[in-house]
């Protein structure tokens, strides 16, 4: 197994600077020309299924900054460059999405619906066409079923039979049926009130009249018995408990574990912040409108927590990192979706501290929702960001970055790799899943890793 790293070499920059490029006046006016000076870089570059053509999004320098990019195609030898029509672009190989292990099929979301792309035939088939928005489709390990998110719940769909199964029962805060007993929790160290969805408790007189009605009217008794029988049947056939979100909680991402027994849920919790309000006077309404600015330093930031939901019972367990600050309180951090090994037997999670000075990599025991520290990256100034290419309900699937992540599983399935600036430069390290100290994968030097791709 080889790891190919994209490097940034200061020496290369020096060579470029040494090449004469004609006269260029370094004025504020020239610097601020932006795309009118350097143009737009092609993005979302991908191959056709037969590796004979390259597709990419691009727009020319004369186009306005707000105009959308167009989709282009070019033959692999550089000939035949042309812009695709809108209909042709819809049938082009997708950007992102999730592929089967043989890379023959790719499932992806576009405009709130799910599509299936066949790399062999080049055909695209629409899987869903609903008023609800579907997102984050992923193949199950058998390549014959997919999971996706709709209405803050995870569903599983058979591509052969069309059978659709709901895998979670997540209820929004304040919605009917939400209950504090369903496993939801409020912010750290507090419990927020939950709506039960039950009618107000009847007075003693109202209860007396209701019981009299049941005793005196046979029809009322029969209806009540039928309703109770239906409720008992429903609970017997579907014993899954609903998971009621609490105030300030929302679903960020849902994924099915490889064994199909659990759903891992990234739950966003709003912090206790007061955003700065900036007036906007240039509006279509001709009235001043508000622009919400950033929160002030010192406010309690939000966090992304990781919940593990049992598919059969709906039982919810929270994966708590257990990392404490100097004052003994839990460190606030954003946990991300698990990254599973190729055989689906192991997973790791990474978390970023709210103050951006630490990043942890954790081994995850999904059944127990337990986390174990594998590596800790610390920087007194700022831990570098990882590519924002993780699935999220708040990020449209068709605009997600296609940049390769700077972390993942080694091909041996026993180690994970990640980048760190512990040497002063962003370089690669690996650590065994079973434990041990991280080891360098790339030699130390005054250069940085910008991206990682693995080859067999």
């Amino acid at each position: 197994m080889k790891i190919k790293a994209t490097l940034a070499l200061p020496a290369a920059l020096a060579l470029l600077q040494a090449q004469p490029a004609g006269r260029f006046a370094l004025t504020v006016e020239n610097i601020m020309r932006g795309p009118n000076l350097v143009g737009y870089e092609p993005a979302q570059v991908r191959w056709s299924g037969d590796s004979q053509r390259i597709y990419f999004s691009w727009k020319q320098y004369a186009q306005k900054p707000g105009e959308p990019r167009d989709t282009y195609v070019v033959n692999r030898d550089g000939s035949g460059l042309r812009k695709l029509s809108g209909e042709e672009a819809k049938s082009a190989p997708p950007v992102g999405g999730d592929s089967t292990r043989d890379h023959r099929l790719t499932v992806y979301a576009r405009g709130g619906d799910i599509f299936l792309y066949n790399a062999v035939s080049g055909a695209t088939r629409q899987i869903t066409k609903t008023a609800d928005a579907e997102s984050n489709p992923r193949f199950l390990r058998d390549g014959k079923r997919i999971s996706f998110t709709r209405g803050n719940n995870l569903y599983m769909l058979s591509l052969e039979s069309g059978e659709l199964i709901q895998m979670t029962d997540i209820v929004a805060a304040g919605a009917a049926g939400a209950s504090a007993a369903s496993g939801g929790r409020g912010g750290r160290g507090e419990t927020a009130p939950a709506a039960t969805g039950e009618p107000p408790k009847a007075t003693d007189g109202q209860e007396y009249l209701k019981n009299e009605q049941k005793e005196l009217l046979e029809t009322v008794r029969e209806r009540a018995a039928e309703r109770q029988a239906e409720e008992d049947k429903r609970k017997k056939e579907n014993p899954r408990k609903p998971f009621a979100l609490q105030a300030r909680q929302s679903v960020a991402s849902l994924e099915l574990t490889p064994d199909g027994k659990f759903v891992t849920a990234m739950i966003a919790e709003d912090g206790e912040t007061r955003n700065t309000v900036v007036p906007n006077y240039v509006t279509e309404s001709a009235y001043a409108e508000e622009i919400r600015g950033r929160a002030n330093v010192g406010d309690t930031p939000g966090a992304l927590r990781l919940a593990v939901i049992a598919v059969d019972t709906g039982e919810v367990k929270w994966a708590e990192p257990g990392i404490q600050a100097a004052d003994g309180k839990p460190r606030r951090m954003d946990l991300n979706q698990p990254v599973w090994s190729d055989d689906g037997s192991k997973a790791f999670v990474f978390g970023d501290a709210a103050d951006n000075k630490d990043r942890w990599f954790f081994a995850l025991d999904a059944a127990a929702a337990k986390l174990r520290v594998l590596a800790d990256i610390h920087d007194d100034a700022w831990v570098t960001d990882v590519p924002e290419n993780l699935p999220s309900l708040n990020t449209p699937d068709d605009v997600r970055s296609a940049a390769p992540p700077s972390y993942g599983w080694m091909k041996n399935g026993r180690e994970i790799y990640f980048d760190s600036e512990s040497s002063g430069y962003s370089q690669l390290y690996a650590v065994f899943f079973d434990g041990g100290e991280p080891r360098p994968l790339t030699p130390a030097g005054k250069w940085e890793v910008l991206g990682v791709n693995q080859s067999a």
Side-chain angles (χ1 to χ4, degrees), residues 118-136:
N118 189 314
V120 177
S121 64
T124 299
R125 176 163 67 97
Q126 187 166 355
I127 301 299
T128 65
K129 191 175 183 180
T130 65
D132 294 325
E134 289 94 18
S135 63
N136 192 28

Side-chain angles (χ1 to χ4, degrees), residues 138-333:
R138 299 179 67 86
F139 275 103
L140 273 65
R141 293 185 64 81
D142 60 12
K144 299 177 181 179
R145 295 172 295 169
I146 62 171
S147 64
F148 63 87
T149 301
R150 174 196 290 167
N152 284 348
N153 277 290
L154 192 75
Y155 292 79
M156 183 172 66
L157 174 68
S158 170
L159 296 177
E160 295 180 339
S161 66
E163 181 185 19
L164 181 66
I165 301 175
Q166 184 171 337
M167 308 300 285
T168 61
D169 186 6
I170 301 176
V171 185
S179 170
S182 66
R185 276 176 42 182
R188 298 180 192 275
E190 64 180 354
T191 301
T196 63
E198 298 177 357
K201 186 176 181 181
T203 64
D204 292 341
Q206 291 171 333
E207 285 291 338
Y208 175 79
L209 291 176
K210 185 168 67 174
N211 292 331
E212 284 290 297
Q213 285 286 86
K214 288 182 180 180
E215 292 179 5
L216 295 175
L217 299 178
E218 182 179 356
T219 302
V220 174
R221 290 198 303 272
E222 291 177 351
R223 289 175 179 173
E226 290 173 359
R227 186 165 54 251
Q228 185 61 49
E230 285 294 325
E231 179 66 14
D232 292 342
K233 180 182 178 181
R234 185 191 66 79
K235 290 182 178 180
K236 184 177 181 180
E237 293 179 349
N238 182 19
R240 181 191 297 148
K241 295 188 301 182
F243 170 24
L245 299 176
Q246 302 300 293
R248 303 199 310 273
Q249 287 184 339
S250 60
V251 176
S253 175
L254 299 170
E255 286 189 10
L256 189 66
T257 58
D259 60 11
K261 296 180 179 179
F262 303 95
V263 172
T264 54
M266 284 170 57
I267 304 297
E269 292 187 347
D270 293 339
E272 298 175 4
T273 61
R274 180 181 175 184
N275 293 69
T276 302
V277 176
V278 181
N280 179 20
Y281 299 103
V282 184
T283 63
E284 293 182 13
S285 65
Y287 291 90
E289 299 175 2
E290 292 182 352
I291 301 175
R292 294 184 61 82
R294 292 180 178 271
N296 291 337
V297 175
D299 286 351
T300 303
L304 283 172
R305 299 175 64 193
L306 184 65
V308 181
I309 308 170
V311 171
D312 290 340
T313 66
E315 180 185 8
V316 178
K317 296 179 181 179
W318 294 92
E320 300 291 1
I323 306 294
Q324 293 185 339
D327 59 4
K329 295 181 179 179
R331 289 284 298 275
R332 293 188 70 86
M333 69 176 71

Side-chain angles (χ1 to χ4, degrees), residues 1 3 41 56 87-88 93 157 198 292 305 328 401 404 442:
M1 185 277 299
I3 287 186
E41 181 182 1
F56 59 95
E87 286 301 315
E88 288 177 320
L157 174 68
E198 298 177 357
R292 294 184 61 82
R305 299 175 64 193
S401 169
T442 50

Side-chain angles (χ1 to χ4, degrees), residues 17-33:
Q17 293 169 353
Q19 300 298 321
R23 289 190 173 186
F24 177 76
L26 194 62
T27 63
V28 173
E29 186 179 51
N30 268 337
I31 294 173
M32 298 304 294
R33 284 166 62 188

Side-chain angles (χ1 to χ4, degrees), residues 363-421:
L364 171 67
D365 178 351
K370 296 294 185 182
L371 297 174
R372 172 173 53 86
V373 176
L374 294 174
D376 177 8
I377 302 172
H378 176 80
D379 194 309
D380 290 336
W382 188 280
V383 175
T384 54
D385 293 333
V386 298
E388 296 293 337
N389 66 335
L390 292 177
S392 168
L393 299 189
N394 300 320
T395 304
D397 295 79
D398 45 7
V399 299
R400 188 184 307 158
S401 169
S406 54
Y407 57 87
W409 283 94
M410 301 283 282
K411 291 294 185 180
N412 59 26
R414 297 181 292 111
E415 295 175 282
I416 68 168
Y417 68 85
F418 57 91
D419 74 320
S420 169
E421 288 188 345

